[in-house]
Amino acid sequence: MLDLHRLRLLRELKHRGTLAAVAAALSYAPSSISQQLSQLEAEVGVPLLEPVGRRVRLTEQAEILVAHTEAVLERLERAEADIATSLTDLTGTLRIASFQTAALALVPTALGLLRDLHPHLRVHVTHMEPEKALPALQARDFDLVLTEEYPGNPNPRPAELEQEDLLSDPLHLALPQTADNLDTESPMAALRSLANHAWVMEPEGTAARHWAMTLCRNAGFEPDVRFETTDLLLHLRLVEQNHAAAFLPDLVWSGQPPTVTLRQLPRDRRTRRVLTVVRRGRSQHPAVLACRDALLRAVNLRSHQA
């Protein structure tokens, strides 16, 4: 019988990439992780790791073991969900990761709803961008992730994750004061009129940045990106104080009236999807179901207040 703890360490290595990262996540010494994996190799009877420079990677046989480990862990999570469903009181800890605008506009309301309905449920929220949060969800650092998907840029969809739409969030071109009186005939012309302005965008490597750059290039220019940050409130402030143009979603105002001049974007590029993502084995856990329901209610409350 293979040792499940050691199998989980192998799985952690696949998701976290290095022995040091596994050790840090699980509060072990790297030498202890290495020793446990060596013992797993002895149990299996084949090499599970091979050196690549200063790092290691999983062999084909190790990948097979990880796939079976994922199935076992999914089944165990379903067992936990069944146990929780059998209880009358919802307890334990729910770990959520959310990107900034959803965390500001939706999460506080959802937390209030959860507190009223399930006072013994402890909810832990972390602000984290989707590019980091989704791998962390796969690594079981979180139970639910709020993520976003930009038009023309679908997210990867690992088989072990399930996603549900939460809302469609309109995207706008936000104009600095020096450009807010431009008379343009179309969304693309409005965008093209800002070719010589400074821009604020999210950092390279993010889905938002890829979408924004593609939009500008389709309009025929390379944007002058002088400011880079994932903080969309800073994006807004830079537009308000006439430092940059930006692309801003409705959620950034949290239901309040916009504070800058907005123009529409091209029809097929003007809405992002906001989604909740969970692991398949966790999707029917009552805490996850309660959280998704609270988030949907928060969306409805926001729409009624708008």
Side-chain angles (χ1 to χ4, degrees), residues 252-263:
V252 79
W253 286 283
S254 298
Q256 300 302 312
T259 55
V260 296
T261 300
L262 302 178
R263 296 289 176 87

Side-chain angles (χ1 to χ4, degrees), residues 2-3 6-7 9-11 13-14 34 36-51 56-66:
L2 297 177
D3 184 273
R6 293 172 189 147
L7 289 170
L9 293 180
L10 185 66
R11 178 195 173 278
L13 181 58
K14 175 180 172 62
S34 180
Q36 291 287 321
L37 292 177
S38 294
Q39 291 176 344
L40 181 60
E41 281 189 330
E43 290 177 357
V44 178
V46 296
L48 299 177
L49 306 175
E50 54 189 11
V56 294
R57 68 183 176 196
L58 275 63
T59 64
E60 179 183 352
Q61 291 71 33
E63 294 283 0
I64 292 171
L65 279 178
V66 168

Side-chain angles (χ1 to χ4, degrees), residues 66-181:
V66 168
H68 283 286
T69 303
E70 296 281 11
V72 170
L73 294 178
E74 179 184 330
R75 188 68 187 218
L76 290 174
E77 283 199 310
R78 289 181 177 179
E80 291 176 1
D82 287 345
I83 293 295
T85 301
S86 72
L87 302 174
T88 57
D89 191 16
L90 191 53
T91 61
T93 299
L94 180 70
R95 302 161 301 168
I96 301 171
S98 175
F99 62 97
Q100 183 194 38
T101 47
L104 289 170
L106 302 175
V107 170
T109 301
L111 289 174
L113 294 169
L114 283 171
R115 180 185 57 204
D116 292 342
L117 291 172
H118 307 289
H120 298 115
L121 177 65
R122 176 184 174 88
V123 183
H124 187 274
V125 179
T126 300
H127 170 212
M128 186 177 290
E129 296 306 312
E131 288 77 13
K132 293 183 178 179
L134 290 173
L137 176 66
Q138 290 180 275
R140 285 177 163 74
D141 291 341
F142 300 105
D143 301 302
L144 181 145
V145 166
L146 279 156
T147 187
E148 58 190 348
E149 186 171 279
Y150 281 81
N153 291 273
N155 294 334
R157 298 186 180 182
E160 64 269 26
L161 300 184
E162 291 183 355
Q163 65 181 38
E164 284 186 4
D165 283 295
L166 184 59
L167 79 153
S168 294
D169 189 25
L171 296 160
H172 308 278
L173 174 62
L175 304 180
Q177 290 180 0
T178 52
D180 65 6
N181 61 348

Side-chain angles (χ1 to χ4, degrees), residues 268-294:
D268 60 345
R269 292 291 184 268
R270 62 178 63 163
T271 304
R272 68 173 177 173
R273 298 168 66 200
V274 178
L275 313 104
T276 58
V277 187
V278 300
R279 292 182 302 279
R280 285 190 308 180
R282 204 73 171 172
S283 62
Q284 296 305 307
H285 194 287
V288 168
L289 295 173
C291 181
R292 279 180 155 170
D293 180 67

